[in-house]
Amino acid sequence: MAATDPLAAERLQITPPHRELLDQVLDKWSLEVLHQLCERPSRFNELRHAIPAVSQKSLSATLRRLERNGIVARHVLSSRPVAVEYRITPLGKTLRNPVEVLLDWADQHLTAIEAARRAYDQTT
C-alpha cells in the first residue's frame, strides 16, 4: 500500500536504527562534546574542564559512543606520559549544520514553547 501512496515518501519514518543513532549522537553530553571538539581537538581532561557538569564516567561513555559511530576519533599522542586526544571526524563535522538548524528552530520558537509549558503546568 505504501508504494502506491503518493505521500508515503514525504512521511517521516523513524526506524529503530535511526532512533538508536539519534539517541547516541544527540544526547545531552554528546552535543557538548561535539561543540568543544568542533572548536579544536582536546584531551580528556580538557573536555572535563570545558564541560564541568559531566562526570568522568559519563564523558568516557559519551566519547566511546561517538567514536563507535565514527563521529569522534581518538588519537594516541607520542608523548611522555602517553596522552590521548579526541578530534571531530569529517563525518562528525557534517552534524554541525543539522544541529545548528535545530538550535535555530528552538531559538525561534522558545517563547511559544515556554508559554505552552506554563499553560500545561497550570492545568496539571
Side-chain angles (χ1 to χ4, degrees):
M1 177 175 241
T4 60
D5 184 352
L7 298 177
E10 295 178 27
R11 289 194 189 116
L12 179 66
Q13 294 184 16
I14 302 174
T15 65
H18 289 117
R19 192 173 305 110
E20 178 185 14
L21 175 64
L22 293 175
D23 285 347
Q24 290 183 6
V25 300
L26 296 179
D27 71 346
K28 178 180 181 178
W29 300 123
S30 293
L31 289 175
E32 294 283 343
V33 168
L34 290 172
H35 173 71
Q36 293 300 318
L37 294 180
C38 277
E39 299 302 317
R40 66 182 178 82
S42 298
R43 293 182 181 185
F44 185 89
N45 283 331
E46 292 172 326
L47 290 169
R48 285 273 328 263
H49 286 99
I51 313 167
V54 69
S55 69
Q56 182 171 340
K57 182 179 177 181
S58 291
L59 181 57
S60 290
T62 297
L63 288 166
R64 279 193 304 274
R65 277 193 312 271
L66 292 172
E67 184 179 5
R68 181 175 179 259
N69 284 292
I71 307 301
V72 165
R74 182 179 184 271
H75 293 277
V76 177
L77 303 174
S78 57
S79 61
R80 296 224 189 266
V82 174
V84 174
E85 182 178 75
Y86 295 91
R87 300 177 183 174
I88 194 91
T89 64
L91 178 61
K93 288 180 183 179
T94 66
L95 274 173
R96 190 169 193 132
N97 187 52
V99 168
E100 286 177 354
V101 168
L102 286 171
L103 292 174
D104 288 344
W105 176 87
D107 285 342
Q108 290 174 10
H109 300 285
L110 196 53
T111 302
I113 291 167
E114 288 171 345
R117 287 175 179 169
R118 282 191 302 276
Y120 177 86
D121 292 345
Q122 288 175 355
T123 63
T124 58

